[in-house]
């Protein structure tokens, strides 16, 4: 049993190291994560039900270890940095709020209603479906289509950069006819 995992580990060690370093960009941290992966894989090998999926199982452990590292890093960040980042994102979002309103107003009425309820009033899509007297899938489609129309409208006037959570981190205006005043 341990020879199987030992042989696979010897074959995979370089590939895992390259995989991890591509994500964390730190050679020393990469060594630590790969070692943690090996320890978990070796100690938990008997819990693996389908031994044919050993390689994908090891990659899953590796992804989980990388995620754990970034979570730990996030929680180790001093709170003053978090507050200043949140307030700067909030100020960028509030700056853009008055610019987005004309774009929302220019949407066809059915999409405008859906976008306002979903993204401004934070109404769940099932509730939107009830209020608009349409099916749940219809509400989802309407919100999605409204967002697409809204995005294509403001993409003509603004270049907006967001983080992975959709929060605004930067924006630049382009030349356009739309007024934000």
């Amino acid at each position: 049993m341990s020879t199987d995992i030992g042989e696979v580990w010897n074959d995979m060690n370089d590939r895992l190291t390259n995989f991890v370093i591509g994500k964390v960009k730190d050679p020393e941290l990469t060594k630590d994560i790969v070692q943690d992966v090996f320890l978990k894989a070796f100690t938990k090998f008997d819990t693996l039900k389908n031994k044919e999926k050993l390689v994908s199982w090891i990659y899953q452990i590796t992804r989980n270890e990388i995620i754990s590292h970034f979570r730990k890093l996030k929680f180790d960040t001093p709170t003053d940095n978090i507050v200043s980042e949140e307030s700067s994102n909030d100020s960028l979002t509030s700056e853009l709020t008055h610019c987005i309103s004309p774009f929302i107003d220019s949407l066809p009425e059915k999409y405008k209603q859906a976008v306002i309820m979903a993204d401004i009033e934070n109404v769940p899509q099932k509730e939107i479906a009830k209020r608009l007297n349409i099916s749940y899938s219809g509400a989802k489609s309407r919100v999605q289509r409204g967002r697409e129309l809204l995005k294509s409208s403001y993409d003509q006037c603004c270049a907006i950069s967001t983080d992975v959570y959709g929060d605004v981190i930067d924006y630049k205006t382009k030349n356009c006819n739309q007024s934000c005043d």
Side-chain angles (χ1 to χ4, degrees):
M1 201 182 311
S2 62
T3 26
D4 292 339
I5 194 167
E7 289 173 14
V8 169
W9 186 260
N10 288 334
D11 293 341
M12 290 186 62
N13 193 25
D14 291 338
R15 288 190 300 169
L16 278 180
T17 301
N18 291 335
F19 177 75
V20 174
I21 203 158
K23 304 290 183 198
V24 299
K25 313 285 190 240
D26 179 354
E28 291 304 311
L29 179 60
T30 297
K31 290 177 188 174
D32 291 342
I33 289 175
V34 171
Q35 183 178 3
D36 289 344
V37 169
F38 173 72
L39 287 172
K40 282 192 178 176
F42 192 76
T43 58
K44 304 285 185 183
F45 181 73
D46 57 331
T47 64
L48 180 62
K49 293 177 180 141
N50 187 351
K51 306 298 185 206
E52 293 173 2
K53 295 186 178 184
L54 178 62
V55 173
S56 61
W57 180 67
I58 290 174
Y59 270 106
Q60 186 59 50
I61 293 171
T62 306
R63 284 188 289 275
N64 290 343
E65 284 298 310
I66 293 168
I67 290 168
S68 294
H69 160 71
F70 284 117
R71 277 191 190 129
K72 184 176 151 194
L73 186 67
K74 180 180 176 182
F75 289 121
D76 288 347
T77 305
T79 54
D80 347 341
N81 294 350
I82 293 171
V83 171
S84 66
E85 287 174 12
E86 285 177 358
S87 62
S88 71
N89 285 349
D90 289 345
S91 65
L92 284 175
T93 302
S94 63
E95 284 178 35
L96 286 177
T97 302
H98 76 280
C99 287
I100 297 291
S101 294
F103 293 112
I104 292 174
D105 291 338
S106 71
L107 291 174
E109 190 61 33
K110 67 181 185 178
Y111 299 118
K112 176 181 169 182
Q113 283 180 317
V115 168
I116 288 173
M117 282 191 261
D119 297 326
I120 295 175
E121 298 172 0
N122 293 320
V123 176
Q125 290 185 1
K126 286 186 178 182
E127 179 63 26
I128 293 172
K130 286 180 187 173
R131 288 186 189 180
L132 298 177
N133 198 25
I134 58 177
S135 68
Y136 174 57
S137 64
K140 287 177 17 177
S141 296
R142 198 173 284 186
V143 169
Q144 186 65 32
R145 179 72 177 137
R147 287 174 179 163
E148 289 170 3
L149 290 170
L150 182 61
K151 183 176 181 348
S152 67
S153 295
Y154 72 72
D155 275 349
Q156 295 173 4
C157 290
C158 306
I160 299 175
S161 301
T162 58
D163 61 13
V164 295
Y165 303 106
D167 297 323
V168 176
I169 54 175
D170 190 24
Y171 71 93
K172 292 182 175 68
T173 57
K174 300 176 186 175
N175 293 332
C176 72
N177 298 332
Q178 190 76 26
S179 170
C180 292
D181 300 328

